[in-house]
Amino acid sequence: MANGSFKKQGSAQGGLNPSARLLVAGWIGSMVLVALLTVMLTYDFSDDESAPERNAPAAGQMADSGQDQGVVESSPDTQIEGSDSSDQTAANESAEPEEPAEPQFMPGLELAGRTGIVQLAASSLPPSDVVAEWCRGLAERVNGVASSDCMSGAFADSGHKSVNGRPLIVRQIDATSRPGSGRVMLIAATHGDELSSVGTVFSWMNMIAEEGTGYEWRVAPVMNPDGLFHEPPTRVNANGVDLNRNLPTAGWAKESRDYWRRVGFEKRRFPGESAGSEPENRWLSEQIEEFQPNVIISMHAPYGVLDYDGDFPAPQKMGSLNLHRLGVYPGSLGNFASRMKGIPVITVELDDADEPPSDDEIKQMFTDLNGWLDRYFRSVRQASAGNTSADAG
Ligand SMILES: [Zn+2]
């Protein structure tokens, strides 16, 4: 019995052993399977998750490198990340600092804005034939413009044209101090018969070039060349459209008809057949998209007031012009940029449509404008810094 019991015990042990081995083997096998599945699932999951984060900085560089390159780059990166989780963490950490650079308060404020036409604006080069001809024509037509003003090569043909095929010319002026602290778009002669707006802008550009500037400027001195060069000059473009009533603002189709009825179907104020129909306005919209201005200044005449659309406190005075809000119109730039895109718009209504203000007045206006811009950009920077520290905390 002892032997038997021993043997039985032994045989019992020996009998249990194979099934225990099987159980252990089965358990190990299933654990290996589970582990394999987990690894595979984790691998796939982290792979997918990392893709959008990798794409974020690539999208930021799209203007330079193009979308295709971004996609090609992201796929080898993703594979490397998937094989090593510490690499992935490092990649995510290195990607993160680029995201807060996207400003939340003012879209695009911190973006470099150095793409597009900048390379065309090298002021040491002679002007192209197109620019030289445009400039000679302007000097003949507009008081306050000398053809020498645009012979430095700082102006560039955007390649876009008016209804009658006249070039739409632009000048880029980079900041000479505090570079990148803000972008200002300055436009004139949206109404072709407001010649004084062009002369004033040329004087300001000369001041900027002489004194330097803390902001990056993009200047379109003649938004409506067909109206300006028409004999006599016209408010509307060559299609008979008031460009400052034609931009694609919310509810344009109905509101612009109501507006036109209110003004007695006056031809000078025809808003066009459809919103944003005019090539000059399509170009303006593209310029705004590309340059991402923080502020737009639009020069008009002859109401002798300062108008403003935006949330930041308005400028009260510019030279002898006082703030007097004119309200928003369907299709106007103030409506389009301020309400649709959150970009404040200062509309300067000079008091004479032909003669620009005196030199002293132009200078004082520019001093007042820069005072407001300084206050505005300081506030933007503070709000932006506040957002960043709130995110960090
Ligand atoms: Zn006007």
Side-chain angles (χ1 to χ4, degrees), residues 190-191 193-194 235 244 299-303 349:
T190 304
H191 294 139
D193 57 354
E194 297 167 2
R235 174 184 172 95
N244 206 35
M299 307 295 287
H300 288 261
Y303 294 103
E349 280 278 355

